[in-house]
Amino acid sequence: MATLADIAVSGAINLLSAFIFLLAFAILRLQPFNDRVYFPKWYLKGLRSSPSRSGAFVRRVVNLDFRSYIRFLNWMPEALKMPEPELIDHAGLDSAVYLRIYLMGLKIFVPIAFVALAILVPVNYTNNALEAVKMVANVTASDIDKLSISNIPLKSQRFWTHIVMAYAFTFWTCYVLLREYEKVASMRLQFLSSERRRPDQFTVLVRNVPPDPDETVSELVEHFFLVNHPDHYLTHRVVCNANKLASLVKKKKKKQNWLDYYQLKYSRDQSQRPQMKTGFLGLWGGKVDAIDYHISEIEKLSEEIEEERKRVLKDPKSIMPAAFVSFKTRWGAAVCAQTQQSKNPTLWLTEWAPEPRDVYWQNLAIPYMSLNVRRLIIGVAFFFLTFFFMIPIASVQALASIEGIEKRAPFLKSVIEIKFIKSVIQGFLPGIVLKLFLIFLPTILMIMSKFEGFVSLSSLERRSATRYYIFLIINVFLGSILTGAAFDQLNSFINQSANEIPKTIGVAVPMKATFFITYIMVDGWAGIAGEVLMLKPLVLYHLKNFLLVKTEKDREEAMDPGSLGFNTGEPRIQLYFLLGLVYATVTPVLLPFIIIFFAFAFAVFRHQIINVYNQEYESGAAFWPDVHGRVITALVISQLALMGLMSTKEAAQSTPFLIALPVLTIWFHMFCNGRHKSAFVKYPLQEAMMKDTLERARDPNFNLKAYLQSAYVHPVFKVDDDDIDEDDLLSGKMETESVLVPTKRQSRRNTPAPSKISGGSSPSLPETVKNGEP
């Protein structure tokens, strides 16, 4: 068990690592040749140009202004200067609200830490319960434990202090959560009302279109919406299965990159044409001319792409029973997206369409009826992943301890008994081992989410984040507590009944405080400092710049600004909420470490959002109900852990007073969701009508059909837009009248004529597919 000295050594190592990362970042960001790595967002917005290339070569590569190095930490105050409204305009509401999670952490834990350190620490420290039981077998204690609730003797009246503090901390947390929920809901509605025109505001995704022997999917969609939404339907775009075509296009792009590399290599040294082997990874096979080989491969792929494109357009099996349906007004789209379209609740399913850059096109080809089966399979797989992952974590953490190393490698006993080495092992090694184990987990969870069939990047990230959070609770929090305690002090844990588990967790929580302190320093201090350094994007940019870049456009594509990564970042933040709430009443000395994390991470990610990250989509902070729910979950877990701990302290008179806390917390969660959650899942018709009215008054001649007709074209078909007459798209006003025409189906009454862009009934299949082509 780590002592204060071990924690001091761990803190020194992590602070030194963080300082080195920050110093390297401060120097590297000032160099002209790194400007596109550390300020790519401004380049993508067209507001920043490459540093001057005039003068000596050294000045074009290295910043020789030594005064700028003196102010190497000025990026922190600069990151805090931009006001929130300007930040929303610059980076979007998602990014601004994401930063509010860190601010919410500071709002919750700074007052709690002040009260806990001033009241609970003296109450805990002025006891000698641990000294009284230090001779009991299998019981160990560290200096940190003397500042925790573990140092209070059984049946003590001092437990009333912890119960009162638990109520105070719960009420304060709920107050901050309510204020933040109200604020973010207000920000979302204001953002949606002030936002510029976007295709997803007028578009609905329709799935599970029923098959019809007389009409194609395109015709069926058009007739259905002309009948049921005659005054608001505008156009539609059917969904096709173009996954193979997209794969060919991606493969061609890779070949083109290699061709660019070899051509650039040859232009620099024309004494010999570059050669390559055609085998796996170029390790074996016959040698060929690299340039000629890739030109030939690209030509073959171009032919395959053209053939596959024609097949997709002509083969009715490639057309999926789904479509993006656009309306003349936001009001019409809101009515369609938020109502049931058919008496059969499994047909004509509608939902708001993701914005075009948020669409995950590959999953649109998955049949809707198979989604439930896929999610069941992934649910079972995630269950086994979560619980079987605990085995290697427990094993490695057991080895990453003094006892584990001495047991497995007794010849190292003399080395690890050295005071500094022992401090490193106990204060640093367990945290870094756990972090290394979690490196590949987000990728695995994202693959699982994609298999489930979600059709937008935002929904993929939210589902992956939910699973990551569950995994962290079970394996990082509960796993670290129970495995460590079970191996060290609670050998009988596996033989206990289920109703004893809260007691076991309650007893184990104080014992693992030192482990979580070291983990916070590794992940929350040094890890965040490593984030701002951006070592991986830095290396990749310079490799691409040297090997592939020939033009300014190539140099822009070589930039890798990345994004927030909600699926990995938000669950990690929630783990700190969980640790803070659990240990606030148990071991308050952990709180300052968490506060440092929230403050440091807020400054770092604000800088990254302003200068680096280019968000892939904008959901209007639709993720906030998930954030709120996970903090509530952490709060309930902290209350149950405290109840379990108090029950082991034989505080029979005071413990029942804690039962009301989880009940009140769950009621509060239901109250907040009932009051504010609808703002994140529905669009008010009043707001939609108001925005439509204002827009018609400002721009009455805007051709909405031309604006929407290509918004939801599959990216691999975008080249086909050049074949459309631009004058036809941009001329004329929005159609508001329709005439009656007969349909192919004898059983259907006459329906209004189809819209001009989406096409209508056609006598031949190829023409039909073309009219509704993806």
Side-chain angles (χ1 to χ4, degrees), residues 116 119-125 127 147-152 156-170 583-588 642 645-646 654 658 661:
I119 297 176
L120 291 180
V121 168
V123 170
N124 295 335
Y125 186 72
N127 285 276
L147 304 177
S148 74
I149 197 173
S150 300
N151 201 33
I152 296 182
S156 174
Q157 293 298 314
R158 296 194 179 197
F159 288 123
W160 285 104
T161 306
H162 298 82
I163 293 176
V164 172
M165 289 296 100
Y167 271 90
F169 297 163
T170 297
Y583 282 97
T585 53
V586 176
T587 311
L642 183 60
L645 176 59
M646 298 288 278
S654 55
L658 290 172
L661 275 181

Side-chain angles (χ1 to χ4, degrees), residues 329-488:
T329 62
R330 295 175 181 83
W331 190 91
V335 169
C336 181
Q338 297 166 186
T339 56
Q340 182 173 313
Q341 303 302 308
S342 170
K343 62 182 179 180
N344 186 340
T346 64
L347 301 177
W348 296 102
L349 303 175
T350 57
E351 60 184 276
W352 281 107
E355 64 165 319
R357 59 180 179 164
D358 189 21
V359 176
Y360 187 68
W361 294 96
Q362 185 175 343
N363 280 359
L364 285 172
I366 298 175
Y368 182 82
M369 298 307 295
S370 69
L371 295 182
N372 289 332
V373 177
R374 285 171 168 262
R375 288 169 189 176
L376 176 61
I377 293 172
I378 292 300
V380 174
F382 177 70
F383 173 83
F384 286 104
L385 173 69
T386 301
F387 286 95
F388 280 101
F389 210 92
M390 190 180 293
I391 297 175
I393 286 182
S395 302
V396 173
Q397 283 193 330
L399 290 175
S401 63
I402 297 296
E403 296 80 5
I405 295 176
E406 288 180 349
K407 183 178 180 180
R408 299 293 180 180
F411 58 90
L412 294 176
K413 185 175 181 179
S414 59
V415 176
I416 62 178
E417 288 298 330
I418 299 175
K419 188 174 182 179
F420 176 77
I421 301 297
K422 185 176 182 179
S423 297
V424 170
I425 293 174
Q426 291 186 321
F428 181 73
L429 191 59
I432 196 69
V433 167
L434 181 58
K435 186 168 178 60
L436 290 174
F437 256 90
L438 299 176
I439 288 178
F440 299 106
L441 180 64
T443 302
I444 296 173
L445 296 179
M446 180 58 71
I447 292 173
M448 296 172 72
S449 298
K450 290 178 179 178
F451 181 81
E452 287 185 280
F454 293 97
V455 296
S456 65
L457 297 175
S458 56
S459 58
L460 284 171
E461 290 198 343
R462 288 201 295 272
R463 172 52 69 95
S464 182
T466 299
R467 290 225 162 94
Y468 195 14
Y469 179 63
I470 295 172
F471 186 94
L472 290 177
I473 289 178
I474 294 175
N475 280 285
V476 175
F477 179 68
L478 294 179
S480 297
I481 287 175
L482 298 181
T483 55
F487 282 113
D488 295 339

Side-chain angles (χ1 to χ4, degrees), residues 2-4 7 142-148 510 513-514 517 587 589:
T3 63
L4 283 175
I7 293 176
S142 68
D143 298 331
I144 298 295
D145 291 327
K146 295 179 181 179
L147 304 177
S148 74
T514 53
I517 289 174
T587 311
V589 293

Side-chain angles (χ1 to χ4, degrees), residues 675-730:
R675 186 172 181 180
H676 299 296
K677 189 175 181 179
S678 60
F680 295 87
V681 295
K682 296 179 181 178
Y683 188 41
L685 296 180
Q686 182 183 22
E687 294 290 328
M689 180 62 74
M690 187 183 305
K691 195 165 180 62
D692 288 333
T693 303
L694 290 174
E695 201 166 83
R696 281 196 297 267
R698 293 172 181 170
D699 196 1
N701 296 323
F702 181 77
N703 192 339
L704 185 62
K705 188 177 293 186
Y707 172 72
L708 294 174
Q709 64 88 27
S710 61
Y712 286 95
V713 176
H714 195 293
V716 297
F717 290 102
K718 293 249 176 168
V719 293
D720 293 340
D721 291 346
D722 298 336
D723 300 332
I724 302 175
D725 189 351
E726 187 175 354
D727 294 334
D728 291 340
L729 296 179
L730 300 179

